[in-house]
């Protein structure tokens, strides 16, 4: 099961979170997938409304998945977290500003990141088990993902109370405060979702709404308003301490658990945001000021350690509860200038640099441009690719790009290009090599990129020129998860499948192993046809048997080397490539180079390499499809 299920059903765009074991916690990838789906459906006439729901009884979504942020943050790499929040907030805002109804069904826990996805649509449905909260101050953050927008709009001082204490709301509370719209018993949700899908009409929701359960917050609003009206966290604490009653004691207990700097900033944020001119964008901008700095200057790393990693619940916050200096608050909330979160569509689209616009690179770059990406390209041959802006050098392409894709003939050329572009690329941008090269070159280039604080992926492809122009390539990807997540939307445009195979070099390793099997099986299939001929076995009969027996393979069933037999293949076209024999030879040589370096015994791979070498270099194989091994073998006898 994937973490998220995105599809169209009837008149609805459906987004279902399905990581129930992790309480549907949102990963960075899930945020990007939600955002991509919303973008795609905005102008899609088949989608009348969007439904957001989740699998499992316990939670709609208990928060953002912060494990990766913690891991990168503890190593002093703050960029991953910043990028996660940046893109997540844009997704939150997209939900809030969406031109079509967004209906969310919020069973169980909806907290933090879950609020960002579930509580900004037009129709937010809660049920008997709903529990909503903004618990960020407990881990050294502030109520974010647009939570500060809802809190600043909440009645009285409930925003300050809920934001700092992280108190949970039931369905009645959530409607009172503004996190939800309607209460509908959960047993009715499946039928309601079906009705929304079939009709595409949100009026079915109005008919289904029930009176919400009592809101326990109503019983304490007077005290909340009295104590949480102070200018600062210090004022609030003083007021509570001077009271000593049950509510005050409980509130102090709750506040004592959370990061003082976070709570002080929460109060300040809500005060600055509250008012008639408040917009979601303003709230997200304010939140991002804090989260951008949270790892480096806040208590976030320590908060995660204490609550989630070591679980000792004994965080060492930077400041005592009643001792956060006002200047510390100001420093966290100073505007970020050029680093601020923005919601601009034009700037939003990733800038792509493409180096190597040959048989493969050309159509791949064209597909990206067609999908709306801004693509600048460079090739040493003067080529024009539709939609791709021609640059005068590799350096020019690389300077401005968020992702530089290379599609080059071999590892030596890749290394030479990498030497030029890596020094000029922006920190945090991605080097994405799709060429087929040796594992060592891939790993060396990745190390060079990582040293320059760039992300790097080796992502060789299979699918050939047809796959490149049709956008149906398969990518085998090596490199870290963050880079993979950034590149995923690009893989989705250029191909139909991307498999993350592990760290740098593993994409090339997968490609080389796959193509070694391909070369060996093609020779085996051709040998068997040549033998069958000599034994007087009809080729069609041979195909009919083998393609459904244990000798079947891709080379037999999908790319049959015998003309007139099986599906259409280069054999039916005079053995024009397709996949040229010299490219097969290149990949087989890479496999043997890797086998030698890794001390792996590959006798069949070696034999296949020698045979293709002979075919390409000494016979007439050059420029022919690699399946032309069949006419070669056909002509020969045993010696
Ligand atoms: P190609 O020769 O058509 O394209 C390579 C391009 O790189 C050429 O246009 C060349 O001018 C350009 N180039 C060379 N040096 C350069 C430099 N320093 N700066 C900028 N551009 C430069 O080859 P292709 O078929 O597009 O294959 C590209 C890669 O994809 C290879 O690594 C190949 O093994 C791999 N591949 C090819 C296929 C296929 O079926 N063609 C399938 C899978 C993988």
């Amino acid at each position: 099961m994937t973490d998220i299920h995105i599809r169209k059903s009837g008149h609805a765009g459906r987004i279902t979170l399905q990581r129930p074991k992790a309480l549907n916690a949102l990963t960075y990838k899930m945020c990007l997938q939600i955002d991509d789906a919303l973008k795609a459906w905005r102008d899609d006439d088949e989608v009348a409304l969007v439904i957001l729901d989740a699998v499992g009884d316990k939670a709609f979504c208990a928060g953002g998945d912060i494990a990766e942020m913690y891991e990168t943050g503890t190593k002093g790499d703050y960029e991953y977290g910043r990028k996660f929040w940046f893109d997540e907030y844009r997704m939150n805002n997209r939900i809030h500003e969406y031109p079509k109804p967004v209906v969310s069904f919020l069973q169980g826990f909806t907290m933090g990141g879950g609020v960002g996805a579930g509580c900004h649509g037009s129709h937010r449905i809660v049920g008997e088990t709903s529990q909503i909260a903004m618990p960020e101050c407990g881990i050294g953050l502030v109520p974010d993902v647009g939570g500060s927008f809802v809190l600043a709009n909440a009645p009285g001082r409930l925003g300050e109370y809920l934001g700092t204490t992280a108190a949970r709301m039931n369905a009645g509370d959530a409607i009172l405060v503004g996190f939800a719209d309607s209460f509908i018993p959960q047993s009715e949700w499946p039928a309601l979702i079906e009705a929304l899908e079939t009709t595409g009409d949100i009026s079915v929701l109005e008919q289904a709404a029930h009176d919400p359960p009592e809101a326990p917050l109503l019983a304490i609003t007077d005290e909340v308003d009295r104590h949480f009206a102070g200018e600062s966290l210090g004022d609030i604490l003083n007021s509570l301490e001077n009271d000593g009653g049950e509510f005050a004691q409980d509130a102090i207990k709750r506040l004592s658990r959370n990061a003082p700097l976070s709570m002080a900033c929460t109060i300040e944020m809500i005060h600055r945001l509250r008012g008639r001119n408040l917009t979601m964008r303003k709230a997200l901008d304010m939140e991002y000021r804090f989260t951008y700095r949270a790892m480096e200057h806040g208590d976030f790393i320590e908060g995660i350690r204490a609550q989630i990693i070591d679980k000792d619940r004994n965080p060492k916050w930077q400041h005592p509860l009643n001792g956060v200096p006002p200047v510390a608050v100001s420093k966290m909330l100073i505007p970020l200038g050029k680093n601020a979160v923005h919601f601009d569509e034009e700037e939003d689209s990733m800038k792509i640099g493409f180096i190597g616009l040959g048989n493969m690179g050309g159509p791949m770059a064209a597909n990206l441009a067609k999908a709306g990406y801004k693509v600048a390209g460079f090739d040493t041959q003067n080529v024009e690719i539709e939609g791709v802006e021609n640059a005068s050098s590799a350096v020019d392409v690389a300077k401005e790009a968020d992702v530089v894709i290379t599609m080059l003939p071999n590892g030596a050329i890749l290394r030479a290009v990498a030497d030029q572009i890596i020094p000029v690329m922006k920190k945090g941008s991605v080097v994405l090599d799709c060429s087929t090269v040796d594992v060592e070159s891939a790993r060396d280039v990745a190390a060079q990129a990582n040293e320059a604080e760039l992300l790097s992926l080796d992502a060789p492809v299979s699918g050939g020129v047809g796959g490149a122009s049709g956008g149906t390539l398969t990518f085998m990807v090596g490199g870290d998860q963050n880079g993979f997540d950034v590149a995923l939307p690009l893989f989705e445009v250029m191909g139909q499948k991307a498999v993350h195979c592990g760290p740098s070099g593993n994409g090339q390793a997968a490609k080389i192993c796959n193509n070694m099997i391909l070369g060996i099986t093609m020779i085996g299939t051709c040998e068997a046809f040549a033998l069958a001929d000599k034994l007087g076995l009809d080729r069609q009969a041979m195909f009919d048997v083998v393609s459904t027996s244990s000798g079947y393979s891709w080379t037999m069933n999908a790319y049959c080397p015998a003309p007139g037999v099986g599906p259409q293949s280069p054999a039916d076209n005079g053995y024009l490539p397709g996949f040229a024999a010299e490219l097969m030879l290149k990949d087989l040589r890479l496999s043997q180079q890797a086998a030698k370096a890794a001390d792996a015994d590959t006798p069949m791979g070696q034999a296949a390499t020698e045979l293709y070498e002979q075919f390409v270099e000494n016979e007439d194989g050059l420029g022919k499809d690699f399946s032309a091994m069949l006419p070669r073998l056909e002509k020969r006898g045993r010696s």
Side-chain angles (χ1 to χ4, degrees):
M1 191 160 70
T2 49
D3 291 345
I4 190 163
H5 186 197
I6 294 179
R7 72 271 185 208
K8 290 199 272 187
S9 180
H11 296 287
R14 297 276 323 258
I15 300 175
T16 304
L17 313 182
Q18 42 182 27
R19 288 183 85 198
K21 283 197 189 129
L23 299 180
N24 294 317
L26 272 191
T27 61
Y28 181 36
K29 183 172 163 187
M30 290 160 78
C31 291
L32 296 177
Q33 286 171 308
I34 295 174
D35 207 36
D36 283 346
L38 292 171
K39 278 190 229 166
W41 292 334
R42 189 174 39 201
D43 301 316
D44 182 341
D45 291 339
E46 286 174 19
V47 175
L49 50 83
V50 175
I51 301 173
L52 257 165
D53 66 347
V55 167
D57 307 328
K58 292 213 178 88
F60 165 74
C61 171
D65 191 325
I66 38 189
E68 182 86 20
M69 281 193 198
Y70 178 77
E71 211 182 300
T72 47
T74 43
K75 290 185 196 136
D77 167 10
Y78 309 125
E79 284 310 313
Y80 172 76
R82 287 169 181 168
K83 186 130 190 57
F84 188 147
W85 282 310
F86 184 95
D87 288 328
E88 184 178 23
Y89 295 178
R90 294 170 61 84
M91 176 271 283
N92 302 145
N93 188 59
R94 199 176 305 283
I95 293 175
H96 181 74
E97 294 182 358
Y98 209 58
K100 299 179 181 183
V102 177
V103 189
S104 51
F105 290 87
L106 310 173
Q107 78 274 19
F109 294 127
T110 298
M111 297 186 177
V115 165
C119 297
H120 300 318
S122 55
H123 298 77
R124 304 156 300 171
I125 313 298
V126 277
E128 299 86 331
T129 64
S130 300
Q131 288 199 62
I132 297 186
M134 294 305 293
E136 286 82 358
C137 286
I139 53 165
L141 283 182
V142 290
D144 68 335
V145 295
S148 68
F149 174 81
V150 185
L151 294 174
N153 278 319
R157 300 294 175 169
L158 282 172
E160 285 92 332
Y161 172 73
L162 293 165
T164 51
T165 60
R168 290 181 186 172
M169 292 165 267
N170 76 353
D173 288 333
I175 293 172
L176 169 78
V177 178
F179 282 93
D181 299 298
S182 318
F183 175 81
I184 300 177
Q186 284 164 231
S187 59
E188 296 177 22
W189 290 5
L192 205 53
I193 290 177
E194 219 180 295
L196 287 167
E197 286 179 343
T198 3
T199 61
D201 181 359
I202 39 127
S203 65
V204 294
L205 293 173
E206 276 161 39
Q207 293 145 25
H210 287 50
D211 285 339
E214 205 178 274
L217 280 177
L218 277 177
I220 57 168
T221 44
D222 286 350
E223 281 168 299
V224 166
D225 288 350
R226 191 161 70 248
H227 294 301
F228 281 76
E231 272 294 301
S232 66
L233 178 66
D235 296 340
I236 292 170
L237 283 162
N238 292 342
S239 171
L240 290 166
E241 274 156 12
N242 285 335
D243 179 311
E246 201 182 319
F247 168 82
Q249 276 177 21
D250 176 70
I252 290 173
K253 202 164 125 202
R254 289 171 187 272
L255 296 175
S256 314
R257 293 185 200 127
N258 296 339
L261 178 63
S262 296
M263 293 188 288
C265 287
T266 301
I267 300 297
E268 177 67 16
M269 282 168 57
I270 292 176
H271 289 178
R272 289 198 206 172
L273 291 171
R274 182 175 281 134
R276 263 190 302 157
N277 295 327
L278 176 57
T279 61
M280 179 62 90
R281 290 180 183 218
K282 274 192 193 168
L284 290 165
D285 173 81
M286 186 70 78
E287 293 169 3
Y288 192 60
R289 296 179 193 182
F290 187 98
T291 48
Y292 184 91
R293 301 177 171 112
M295 293 203 217
E296 202 171 357
H297 304 295
D299 289 306
F300 178 62
I301 304 274
E302 174 61 7
I304 301 289
R305 184 206 61 73
Q307 301 296 344
I308 293 165
I309 308 294
D310 297 344
K311 295 193 168 59
D312 60 16
R313 311 263 190 268
N314 188 20
K316 306 273 178 293
W317 304 125
Q318 290 180 61
H319 304 282
L321 185 57
N322 204 350
V324 182
V327 64
V329 173
S330 311
K331 274 190 178 165
M332 293 302 281
L333 299 179
I334 301 170
L336 285 167
K338 68 175 175 31
N339 294 322
V341 67
H342 63 78
F343 306 93
D344 196 60
E345 285 292 324
E346 171 62 21
E347 281 179 50
D348 168 31
S349 149
M350 254 190 261
K351 290 194 187 76
I352 316 273
F354 211 115
I355 303 176
L357 301 164
N359 291 326
M360 296 290 290
M364 289 162 74
N367 282 338
L368 289 169
K370 242 184 271 164
Y373 288 103
K374 205 164 176 255
V375 187
F378 174 70
D379 193 294
T380 42
Q381 304 295 314
N382 215 359
V383 278
E384 289 281 335
I385 305 292
E386 202 182 332
V388 176
E389 184 194 322
N390 255 340
S392 55
S393 69
V395 165
D396 274 354
V397 161
K399 268 193 303 213
E400 294 298 318
D402 299 303
V403 178
V404 174
I405 304 177
T406 47
M407 196 55 176
L408 296 162
N410 58 47
I413 296 181
L414 171 67
R415 284 172 186 267
V417 169
D419 283 342
Q420 295 170 41
I421 62 171
I422 286 176
V424 301
M425 286 178 66
K426 292 187 289 189
K427 278 189 185 154
S429 58
V430 183
V431 183
L432 168 55
D433 177 46
C434 296
S435 335
T436 305
V437 303
D438 55 291
V439 176
E440 210 183 329
S441 294
R443 291 196 171 139
D444 287 351
V445 167
Q448 195 181 346
N450 293 344
E451 197 143 299
E453 294 182 46
L454 308 179
L455 299 168
S456 145
L457 298 171
D458 51 293
V461 301
S462 85
V465 177
S469 32
T472 56
L473 295 169
T474 295
F475 291 85
M476 298 152 235
V477 191
D480 71 8
Q481 184 68 42
N482 308 346
F484 183 79
D485 290 343
V486 175
L488 190 60
L490 307 183
F491 294 141
E492 281 167 359
V493 170
M494 296 186 287
Q496 59 187 356
K497 193 169 174 193
V499 182
H500 190 201
C501 304
S504 297
N506 280 21
Q508 297 295 353
K511 165 85 184 176
I512 285 167
C513 291
N514 180 73
N515 280 21
M516 187 173 81
I517 298 174
L518 179 65
I520 295 169
T521 17
M522 180 54 88
I523 293 170
T525 307
C526 293
E527 280 182 4
F529 267 116
L531 173 61
D533 287 347
K534 296 207 168 165
L535 296 175
L537 175 61
D538 174 58
R539 284 186 170 179
Q540 185 63 49
M542 161 89 173
F543 176 83
D544 290 345
V545 171
V546 175
S547 63
T548 52
S549 301
S550 46
Y552 82 97
S553 66
W554 185 83
T555 56
M556 174 61 82
N557 292 34
Y559 204 93
C560 184
V565 174
Q568 276 284 320
S569 69
D572 300 305
N573 193 22
Y575 292 102
L576 282 177
F579 184 43
E582 58 270 28
L583 289 179
M584 184 77 253
L585 174 59
K586 171 190 166 186
D587 294 356
L588 284 167
R589 280 180 172 151
L590 292 176
S591 75
Q592 294 316 291
Q593 188 183 334
K596 200 167 157 207
D599 190 26
D601 190 20
T602 54
M604 299 294 285
Q606 192 175 335
T609 311
E610 285 163 12
L611 207 55
Y612 272 105
E613 213 158 59
Q614 200 176 324
F615 185 43
V616 170
E617 290 179 357
N618 305 325
E619 299 168 3
D620 59 351
L622 186 70
K624 290 207 172 119
D625 188 72
F626 82 123
S627 59
M629 191 54 81
L630 174 54
R632 177 199 180 272
L633 290 167
E634 224 175 67
K635 284 191 243 135
R636 300 167 70 98
R638 223 173 145 68
S639 55

Short mmCIF file of all heavy atoms in Angstrom, two decimals, residues 344-374:
data_model
loop_
_atom_site.label_atom_id
_atom_site.label_comp_id
_atom_site.label_asym_id
_atom_site.label_seq_id
_atom_site.Cartn_x
_atom_site.Cartn_y
_atom_site.Cartn_z
N ASP A 344 3.87 32.44 -5.30
CA ASP A 344 3.80 32.86 -6.68
C ASP A 344 3.93 31.66 -7.61
O ASP A 344 4.87 30.89 -7.49
CB ASP A 344 4.97 33.83 -6.91
CG ASP A 344 4.79 34.61 -8.15
OD1 ASP A 344 3.79 35.32 -8.22
OD2 ASP A 344 5.66 34.49 -9.03
N GLU A 345 3.01 31.51 -8.54
CA GLU A 345 3.02 30.33 -9.42
C GLU A 345 4.24 30.28 -10.32
O GLU A 345 4.86 29.26 -10.49
CB GLU A 345 1.77 30.31 -10.30
CG GLU A 345 0.52 29.91 -9.57
CD GLU A 345 0.53 28.46 -9.12
OE1 GLU A 345 1.06 27.62 -9.85
OE2 GLU A 345 0.01 28.17 -8.03
N GLU A 346 4.57 31.44 -10.92
CA GLU A 346 5.67 31.47 -11.89
C GLU A 346 6.98 31.05 -11.20
O GLU A 346 7.69 30.17 -11.66
CB GLU A 346 5.76 32.88 -12.48
CG GLU A 346 6.98 33.17 -13.34
CD GLU A 346 7.05 32.29 -14.58
OE1 GLU A 346 6.03 31.75 -15.00
OE2 GLU A 346 8.15 32.15 -15.11
N GLU A 347 7.23 31.66 -10.03
CA GLU A 347 8.46 31.33 -9.32
C GLU A 347 8.41 29.92 -8.78
O GLU A 347 9.42 29.29 -8.55
CB GLU A 347 8.62 32.29 -8.13
CG GLU A 347 9.15 33.63 -8.53
CD GLU A 347 9.26 34.52 -7.31
OE1 GLU A 347 9.84 34.08 -6.31
OE2 GLU A 347 8.74 35.65 -7.37
N ASP A 348 7.19 29.45 -8.59
CA ASP A 348 6.97 28.16 -8.00
C ASP A 348 7.56 27.04 -8.85
O ASP A 348 8.16 26.11 -8.37
CB ASP A 348 5.44 28.00 -7.90
CG ASP A 348 5.01 26.61 -7.58
OD1 ASP A 348 5.78 25.94 -6.90
OD2 ASP A 348 3.92 26.20 -8.01
N SER A 349 7.40 27.20 -10.18
CA SER A 349 7.80 26.11 -11.04
C SER A 349 9.32 25.97 -11.02
O SER A 349 10.05 26.93 -11.13
CB SER A 349 7.24 26.43 -12.43
OG SER A 349 8.07 25.93 -13.40
N MET A 350 9.77 24.73 -10.84
CA MET A 350 11.21 24.46 -10.76
C MET A 350 11.89 24.89 -12.04
O MET A 350 11.38 24.65 -13.13
CB MET A 350 11.38 22.95 -10.64
CG MET A 350 11.76 22.47 -9.29
SD MET A 350 12.19 20.73 -9.44
CE MET A 350 10.71 19.95 -8.91
N LYS A 351 13.06 25.49 -11.92
CA LYS A 351 13.83 25.83 -13.12
C LYS A 351 14.76 24.67 -13.43
O LYS A 351 15.55 24.24 -12.59
CB LYS A 351 14.65 27.10 -12.86
CG LYS A 351 13.80 28.34 -12.76
CD LYS A 351 14.68 29.59 -12.85
CE LYS A 351 13.87 30.83 -12.57
NZ LYS A 351 13.58 31.04 -11.15
N ILE A 352 14.66 24.18 -14.67
CA ILE A 352 15.43 23.00 -15.03
C ILE A 352 16.53 23.38 -16.01
O ILE A 352 16.28 24.13 -16.97
CB ILE A 352 14.53 21.97 -15.76
CG1 ILE A 352 13.18 21.82 -15.07
CG2 ILE A 352 15.26 20.64 -15.96
CD1 ILE A 352 13.11 20.86 -14.00
N GLY A 353 17.72 22.87 -15.79
CA GLY A 353 18.80 22.96 -16.78
C GLY A 353 18.97 21.58 -17.39
O GLY A 353 18.90 20.58 -16.66
N PHE A 354 19.14 21.49 -18.70
CA PHE A 354 19.26 20.17 -19.33
C PHE A 354 20.51 20.16 -20.19
O PHE A 354 20.64 20.96 -21.12
CB PHE A 354 18.01 19.87 -20.17
CG PHE A 354 17.68 18.41 -20.22
CD1 PHE A 354 16.51 17.91 -19.65
CD2 PHE A 354 18.56 17.50 -20.81
CE1 PHE A 354 16.22 16.56 -19.67
CE2 PHE A 354 18.28 16.14 -20.83
CZ PHE A 354 17.11 15.67 -20.26
N ILE A 355 21.44 19.27 -19.89
CA ILE A 355 22.71 19.22 -20.64
C ILE A 355 22.82 17.88 -21.35
O ILE A 355 22.78 16.82 -20.70
CB ILE A 355 23.90 19.44 -19.68
CG1 ILE A 355 23.74 20.79 -18.96
CG2 ILE A 355 25.22 19.41 -20.46
CD1 ILE A 355 24.80 21.08 -17.93
N GLY A 356 22.92 17.94 -22.67
CA GLY A 356 22.95 16.71 -23.48
C GLY A 356 21.58 16.49 -24.10
O GLY A 356 20.73 15.81 -23.51
N LEU A 357 21.36 17.10 -25.28
CA LEU A 357 20.02 17.06 -25.89
C LEU A 357 20.03 16.15 -27.12
O LEU A 357 19.61 16.53 -28.21
CB LEU A 357 19.58 18.48 -26.27
CG LEU A 357 19.52 19.47 -25.10
CD1 LEU A 357 19.47 20.90 -25.61
CD2 LEU A 357 18.32 19.18 -24.21
N GLY A 358 20.55 14.93 -26.95
CA GLY A 358 20.65 13.99 -28.06
C GLY A 358 19.37 13.19 -28.25
O GLY A 358 18.27 13.69 -27.97
N ASN A 359 19.52 11.95 -28.71
CA ASN A 359 18.36 11.11 -29.00
C ASN A 359 17.44 10.95 -27.79
O ASN A 359 16.22 10.92 -27.93
CB ASN A 359 18.82 9.71 -29.42
CG ASN A 359 19.49 9.75 -30.77
OD1 ASN A 359 19.11 10.55 -31.63
ND2 ASN A 359 20.50 8.92 -30.96
N MET A 360 18.03 10.84 -26.62
CA MET A 360 17.24 10.65 -25.40
C MET A 360 16.93 12.00 -24.75
O MET A 360 15.78 12.30 -24.40
CB MET A 360 18.01 9.78 -24.40
CG MET A 360 18.28 8.38 -24.85
SD MET A 360 16.79 7.38 -24.93
CE MET A 360 16.38 7.17 -23.22
N GLY A 361 17.99 12.80 -24.52
CA GLY A 361 17.84 14.06 -23.79
C GLY A 361 16.88 15.02 -24.48
O GLY A 361 16.09 15.70 -23.80
N GLY A 362 16.93 15.08 -25.81
CA GLY A 362 16.07 16.02 -26.55
C GLY A 362 14.60 15.83 -26.21
O GLY A 362 13.94 16.74 -25.69
N PRO A 363 14.06 14.62 -26.46
CA PRO A 363 12.63 14.44 -26.15
C PRO A 363 12.31 14.53 -24.66
O PRO A 363 11.22 14.98 -24.29
CB PRO A 363 12.32 13.03 -26.69
CG PRO A 363 13.60 12.43 -27.11
CD PRO A 363 14.62 13.51 -27.24
N MET A 364 13.26 14.14 -23.80
CA MET A 364 12.98 14.26 -22.35
C MET A 364 12.83 15.74 -21.96
O MET A 364 11.91 16.12 -21.22
CB MET A 364 14.12 13.62 -21.54
CG MET A 364 14.15 12.10 -21.63
SD MET A 364 15.74 11.41 -21.11
CE MET A 364 15.66 11.61 -19.34
N ALA A 365 13.73 16.58 -22.49
CA ALA A 365 13.65 18.02 -22.19
C ALA A 365 12.36 18.60 -22.77
O ALA A 365 11.69 19.42 -22.12
CB ALA A 365 14.87 18.73 -22.78
N ALA A 366 12.00 18.16 -23.97
CA ALA A 366 10.77 18.67 -24.60
C ALA A 366 9.55 18.33 -23.75
O ALA A 366 8.65 19.15 -23.57
CB ALA A 366 10.62 18.09 -26.00
N ASN A 367 9.53 17.12 -23.19
CA ASN A 367 8.39 16.73 -22.35
C ASN A 367 8.28 17.59 -21.09
O ASN A 367 7.18 17.93 -20.65
CB ASN A 367 8.49 15.25 -21.96
CG ASN A 367 8.07 14.35 -23.10
OD1 ASN A 367 7.34 14.78 -23.99
ND2 ASN A 367 8.51 13.11 -23.08
N LEU A 368 9.43 17.93 -20.51
CA LEU A 368 9.40 18.79 -19.31
C LEU A 368 8.86 20.18 -19.67
O LEU A 368 8.06 20.75 -18.92
CB LEU A 368 10.81 18.90 -18.72
CG LEU A 368 11.33 17.65 -18.04
CD1 LEU A 368 12.82 17.78 -17.72
CD2 LEU A 368 10.55 17.35 -16.75
N ALA A 369 9.31 20.71 -20.81
CA ALA A 369 8.83 22.03 -21.23
C ALA A 369 7.33 21.98 -21.48
O ALA A 369 6.59 22.88 -21.07
CB ALA A 369 9.58 22.48 -22.49
N LYS A 370 6.87 20.90 -22.11
CA LYS A 370 5.44 20.76 -22.39
C LYS A 370 4.63 20.73 -21.10
O LYS A 370 3.50 21.21 -21.05
CB LYS A 370 5.20 19.46 -23.17
CG LYS A 370 4.61 19.69 -24.55
CD LYS A 370 4.30 18.37 -25.25
CE LYS A 370 5.50 17.87 -26.03
NZ LYS A 370 5.41 16.46 -26.42
N ALA A 371 5.21 20.16 -20.06
CA ALA A 371 4.50 20.06 -18.78
C ALA A 371 4.52 21.38 -18.02
O ALA A 371 4.02 21.47 -16.90
CB ALA A 371 5.12 18.96 -17.93
N GLY A 372 5.14 22.42 -18.60
CA GLY A 372 5.09 23.74 -17.97
C GLY A 372 6.35 24.13 -17.24
O GLY A 372 6.41 25.22 -16.65
N TYR A 373 7.37 23.28 -17.23
CA TYR A 373 8.61 23.67 -16.55
C TYR A 373 9.41 24.62 -17.43
O TYR A 373 9.36 24.53 -18.66
CB TYR A 373 9.47 22.44 -16.23
CG TYR A 373 8.90 21.62 -15.11
CD1 TYR A 373 8.23 20.42 -15.37
CD2 TYR A 373 9.01 22.04 -13.79
CE1 TYR A 373 7.68 19.67 -14.34
CE2 TYR A 373 8.47 21.29 -12.76
CZ TYR A 373 7.80 20.11 -13.04
OH TYR A 373 7.27 19.38 -12.02
N LYS A 374 10.14 25.50 -16.78
CA LYS A 374 11.03 26.40 -17.50
C LYS A 374 12.33 25.64 -17.72
O LYS A 374 13.02 25.29 -16.74
CB LYS A 374 11.28 27.61 -16.60
CG LYS A 374 11.65 28.83 -17.33
CD LYS A 374 11.49 30.05 -16.43
CE LYS A 374 11.98 31.25 -17.20
NZ LYS A 374 13.23 31.79 -16.87
#
